[in-house]
Amino acid sequence: MTTTTRRGFLGLVGTAALTAGCGSSGGGSAQKTTKLRYQGSAGAVTPAELAADLGYLGPVALEWVGDTTSGPQDIQAAATGQTDFGGAFNGAVAKLHAAGAPITAVISYYGVDQYSYNGFYTLADSPIAGASDLFGKKIGMNTLGAHYEAVLDIYLNRGGVTGAAVKKVEPLVVPPINTEQTLRAHQIDVGVLGGILRDKALAAGGIKPLFTDYDLLGTFSAGTYVFRDDFLAKNPDTVRAFVSGVGKAVEWARATPRAEVVDRFTKIVKARGRNEDTTALQYFKSYGIAGTGGSIAAEEFGTWITWLEQQGQIPAGKVTASAVYTNKFNSNAKEGS
């Protein structure tokens, strides 16, 4: 089981941000282009990839350069010019922005709703029933400093666990594919599961939910695609075509019968010839995106900025939601948003 400390991970985020902020913009990301380099995810179809396959990106072409290991890593790659855009949890985007990275979020690409959510699960016979029961317990999640850790902290705070007491709970990194096994082997006390991994674990029995992010926060867009600011300045038409096309694809996935979406996803994955397992695609239900066409709402950053301030990860008042995102490139967004 791989573990990573919370402080160590956040330090890496800050270092990458400062490197991006102080580095040269000559890494290719700021040049005029209609080709966008990006990282994908094995066995999955992102909204950007769906938009490209549907022909919604117009003159814009996507160039896959590999698969990302996490959201924070993906936006770091965009911030340092290794890719042209990347996506991550909005709290991670806000933290990278606060550390000096010249990035702006332009469209939501995943979220949480009644069909697409993540749960914090314990073994069925576990005595854990509330926030205070997590003292001294290990919570396995895919990465630190991102969506799951933020949701965990909010759950703890709402359950009366605040301040220094939060540090009595130990979030640590466990690869999602290993989470169920690690939980059943009693190597962790709580495991975060979503999608096919959640459904398969529940079908096998012996586990129960402590809470889910949907139970806690309802429907919301949780992550956004970001570009470097110099790229946005030099390539506004490219970004506009990309963002509006992705937004159109989001609505296509929302309105199209699930079986047809899954069939399309399967064909996309098989056609790219990367020897990927398509099993998880059968469990797709929703991207979970709240805003029409992926439009971003201020509170979708404000919630996490407040969390970062409360955790002492960014100075109070240093970052505002309006400084981190824009809907101006999204033809699907409402006027003035």
Side-chain angles (χ1 to χ4, degrees):
M1 180 173 60
T2 301
T3 61
T4 302
T5 66
R6 182 188 307 209
R7 179 174 297 178
F9 177 84
L10 294 173
L12 288 173
V13 173
T15 299
L18 292 175
T19 300
C22 299
S24 167
S25 63
S29 66
Q31 305 304 311
K32 284 193 174 183
T33 183
T34 55
K35 181 181 291 185
L36 300 179
R37 299 165 298 148
Y38 80 102
Q39 296 182 111
S41 182
V45 177
T46 66
E49 291 168 329
L50 176 61
D53 187 72
L54 290 168
Y56 290 166
L57 299 186
V60 176
L62 300 183
E63 180 182 347
W64 177 75
V65 298
D67 289 330
T68 184
T69 57
S70 70
Q73 182 276 330
D74 199 29
I75 59 174
Q76 287 169 26
T80 54
Q82 299 170 65
T83 58
D84 296 313
F85 71 90
F89 163 61
N90 287 339
V93 173
K95 182 169 179 63
L96 199 61
H97 178 91
I103 56 170
T104 298
V106 294
I107 187 170
S108 297
Y109 78 101
Y110 86 87
V112 170
D113 63 15
Q114 61 181 319
Y115 306 109
S116 179
Y117 62 89
N118 303 281
F120 286 65
Y121 292 88
T122 65
L123 294 176
D125 59 358
S126 170
I128 297 173
S132 61
D133 296 328
L134 294 176
F135 291 161
K137 300 298 190 293
K138 294 180 172 63
I139 320 296
M141 56 188 66
N142 72 328
T143 191
L144 301 184
H147 183 125
Y148 300 145
E149 188 177 0
V151 168
L152 173 62
D153 283 349
I154 290 174
Y155 172 76
L156 292 171
N157 290 168
R158 290 188 181 180
V161 179
T162 60
V166 172
K167 296 181 181 179
K168 295 181 181 180
V169 182
E170 183 183 356
L172 50 83
V173 173
V174 179
I177 194 68
N178 301 128
T179 300
E180 179 188 354
Q181 177 185 353
T182 305
L183 177 63
R184 294 188 189 278
H186 298 272
Q187 292 178 290
I188 56 176
D189 302 287
V190 179
V192 181
L193 294 165
I196 180 175
L197 298 176
R198 176 197 64 227
D199 293 345
K200 288 175 66 177
L202 288 172
I207 67 171
K208 63 182 180 182
L210 178 61
F211 71 95
T212 72
D213 49 9
Y214 177 67
D215 293 336
L216 196 66
L217 298 168
T219 299
F220 64 98
S221 293
T224 46
Y225 283 143
V226 306
F227 284 84
R228 282 182 62 102
D229 293 340
D230 55 358
F231 189 98
L232 295 176
K234 282 186 173 290
N235 299 278
D237 293 336
T238 295
V239 175
R240 189 170 292 107
F242 170 79
V243 172
S244 295
V246 170
K248 189 175 178 181
V250 166
E251 292 308 310
W252 181 89
R254 200 193 309 270
T256 303
R258 193 182 75 85
E260 186 177 336
V261 175
V262 170
D263 181 64
R264 186 99 189 195
F265 282 2
T266 303
K267 289 178 179 177
I268 291 172
V269 171
K270 289 182 176 179
R272 59 198 189 195
R274 299 176 199 159
N275 194 30
E276 299 166 87
D277 184 358
T278 60
T279 303
L281 298 174
Q282 307 305 314
Y283 290 80
F284 176 85
K285 297 174 183 175
S286 167
Y287 279 126
I289 298 168
T292 301
S295 58
I296 305 167
E299 59 267 25
E300 291 167 348
F301 273 100
T303 296
W304 312 117
I305 290 171
T306 298
W307 169 68
L308 288 165
E309 292 175 344
Q310 291 172 342
Q311 300 304 311
Q313 295 179 29
I314 62 175
K318 181 174 182 179
V319 179
T320 61
S322 60
V324 185
Y325 81 93
T326 180
N327 282 318
K328 73 177 183 179
F329 297 102
N330 193 340
S331 62
N332 305 282
K334 294 181 180 179
E335 189 73 25
S337 63

